Amino acid sequence: MEDQLVIANKKLKSRFLLGTGKFKHKDELKMTIHASEAEIVTVALRRIDLDKNSDNILSYIPDNIILLTNTSGARNADEAVRIARIAREAGYGNWVKIEVINDSKYLLPDNAETIKATQILAAEGFVVLPYMQPDLYAARALVEVGAAAIMPLGSLIGSNQGVKMETMIEILINEIKMVPIIVDAGIGRPSQAAYAMEMGADAVLINTAVATADNPVLIAEAFAKSIMAGRLAYLAKMANVKTEAEASSPLTGFLRA
Amino acid sequence: MQITVNGNNTGIEPKMNIRQYLGTRQIDLAGVVVEINQKIIKKQEWEITELKDGDIVELISFVGGG
């Protein structure tokens, strides 16, 4: 069965977007990307540390992978726009994850600034994937100004709490039909990823739960399978939940005959 | 001549262009972006852009991120 995720006319087989932060060993990253079957990975931009001859992360990411540069560190729309322009100049494409955060305790994205940045960057031809707090009005505004997907948080970044924002994300899934909904942040276990996909999310983005597992390669494979399972379950249109038992074996009894 | 590179004051030889300066540092140039005084300098302009006294230079590249 052909079931593709399409973002900005790009057809993708994988519904697993992988983050590359927090990996203890960079050589593990390459194997993890392979195990995840991800076709999109996120990266960030930082000042080069001139005192330390550190490895270039790009050498661990295969060439056929789409780089989705985040704007982490941006506190407002202008800073996000500046980071995105730098990312494009680096020469690895024009996909950008807008992340505007002003709060260091909860790391919640600022939807208003995110909409502003999305508008500017989409007009400049970027493929813009905004990280946002799941709010229907904000999501509609993001679609209106040219977002290529909507990325609501499942729960707080790095918290591994799962899809705590379930009700609000369900509203986005039901109402936003023009672009994919990608649950980003907070997914800590494969069962939670499967749950998001069963709900009808188009994809999930996971970083911490993979990078900080004892065995990132193995958990990446587990996530890939759970995301696939959740997707298939969604497509299968699952049976309804009932409050009373309904026998699955025939009870017409020969015992009583 | 003094410039600021990634927040640190650095003395450099005069009349040095960006490519020459980068050559003096141990940097893998894949994916490196140069900003001078908050303006991005395109790669093809590195050779023709001379550093000036007081320039604020940012050298930026990719790192892991979510």
Side-chain angles (χ1 to χ4, degrees), chain A residues 42 44 46-48 56 70 82, chain B residues 6 30 35 58-59 63 65-66:
Chain A
T42 57
R46 284 290 177 280
R47 274 178 169 175
I48 294 173
N56 192 326
N70 70 34
R82 183 176 165 202
Chain B
N6 287 1
E35 255 193 2
E58 293 288 339
L59 305 178
V63 293

Side-chain angles (χ1 to χ4, degrees), chain A residues 153-256:
Chain A
L153 60 96
S155 52
L156 301 179
I157 292 178
S159 70
N160 298 324
Q161 290 179 21
V163 192
K164 291 280 183 192
M165 304 301 285
E166 181 177 347
T167 307
M168 295 302 144
I169 290 176
E170 235 162 12
I171 291 171
L172 300 191
I173 289 168
N174 291 336
E175 300 301 323
I176 305 288
K177 299 293 185 189
M178 301 281 284
V179 300
I181 303 293
I182 302 170
V183 177
D184 181 1
I187 290 181
R189 290 159 186 264
S191 53
Q192 295 165 349
Y195 189 66
M197 297 304 296
E198 286 173 7
M199 280 168 60
D202 293 286
V204 293
L205 196 163
I206 303 166
N207 185 356
T208 301
V210 175
T212 64
D214 259 14
N215 188 334
V217 179
L218 197 56
I219 199 78
E221 185 184 342
F223 271 114
K225 287 181 169 157
S226 71
I227 290 161
M228 175 63 78
R231 177 65 183 175
L232 292 176
Y234 170 73
L235 293 174
K237 299 200 168 50
M238 290 173 287
N240 293 330
V241 175
K242 290 168 189 167
T243 51
E244 290 178 21
E246 185 182 291
S248 21
S249 307
L251 296 179
T252 45
F254 55 88
L255 291 177
R256 269 177 245 153

Side-chain angles (χ1 to χ4, degrees), chain A residues 19-21 42-50 53 56-58 67 69-70 82 85-87 89-90 92 97 99 205 207, chain B residues 5-8 21 25-33 35 38 40-44 58-66:
Chain A
T20 60
T42 57
V43 289
L45 285 168
R46 284 290 177 280
R47 274 178 169 175
I48 294 173
D49 185 348
L50 294 165
N53 195 2
N56 192 326
I57 191 154
L58 297 179
L67 280 194
T69 307
N70 70 34
R82 183 176 165 202
R85 287 174 181 157
I86 291 170
E89 187 54 33
Y92 291 83
K97 167 180 163 178
E99 188 177 330
L205 196 163
N207 185 356
Chain B
V5 182
N6 287 1
N8 299 313
Y21 171 72
R25 312 296 305 230
Q26 302 290 323
I27 301 171
D28 176 355
L29 293 180
V32 169
V33 178
E35 255 193 2
Q38 292 212 17
I40 295 169
I41 311 295
K42 291 184 178 296
K43 232 166 217 168
Q44 51 279 26
E58 293 288 339
L59 305 178
I60 300 150
S61 71
F62 290 107
V63 293

Side-chain angles (χ1 to χ4, degrees), chain B residues 40-53:
Chain B
I40 295 169
I41 311 295
K42 291 184 178 296
K43 232 166 217 168
Q44 51 279 26
E45 290 166 7
W46 285 1
E47 256 158 54
I48 54 166
T49 306
E50 218 169 70
L51 291 162
K52 297 186 303 296
D53 196 40

Side-chain angles (χ1 to χ4, degrees), chain A residues 10-140:
Chain A
K10 179 87 188 162
K11 291 177 180 152
L12 303 153
K13 285 196 204 90
S14 170
R15 292 174 181 274
F16 184 1
L17 286 73
L18 181 69
T20 60
K22 298 186 189 169
F23 277 83
K24 277 193 222 96
H25 309 288
K26 279 214 199 96
D27 40 341
E28 227 166 21
L29 177 58
K30 200 170 195 170
M31 289 190 292
T32 305
I33 293 172
H34 182 73
S36 72
E37 296 176 39
E39 292 165 280
I40 300 173
V41 305
T42 57
V43 289
L45 285 168
R46 284 290 177 280
R47 274 178 169 175
I48 294 173
D49 185 348
L50 294 165
D51 299 324
K52 203 169 73 195
N53 195 2
S54 53
D55 278 356
N56 192 326
I57 191 154
L58 297 179
S59 54
Y60 298 91
I61 301 173
D63 290 342
N64 58 341
I65 299 282
I66 295 171
L67 280 194
L68 176 62
T69 307
N70 70 34
T71 63
S72 86
R75 291 157 296 180
N76 54 46
D78 288 345
E79 289 178 354
V81 167
R82 183 176 165 202
I83 294 170
R85 287 174 181 157
I86 291 170
R88 179 155 66 178
E89 187 54 33
Y92 291 83
N94 60 348
W95 287 50
V96 63
K97 167 180 163 178
I98 301 294
E99 188 177 330
V100 180
I101 291 173
N102 235 323
D103 170 280
S104 59
K105 187 171 181 187
Y106 301 106
L107 298 176
L108 289 168
D110 180 329
N111 281 352
E113 291 294 307
T114 300
I115 294 163
K116 268 192 236 166
T118 299
Q119 179 160 30
I120 294 166
L121 292 168
E124 291 181 16
F126 283 85
V127 174
V128 185
L129 287 76
Y131 172 58
M132 53 100 65
Q133 297 191 52
D135 170 85
L136 180 59
Y137 299 115
R140 281 183 177 149

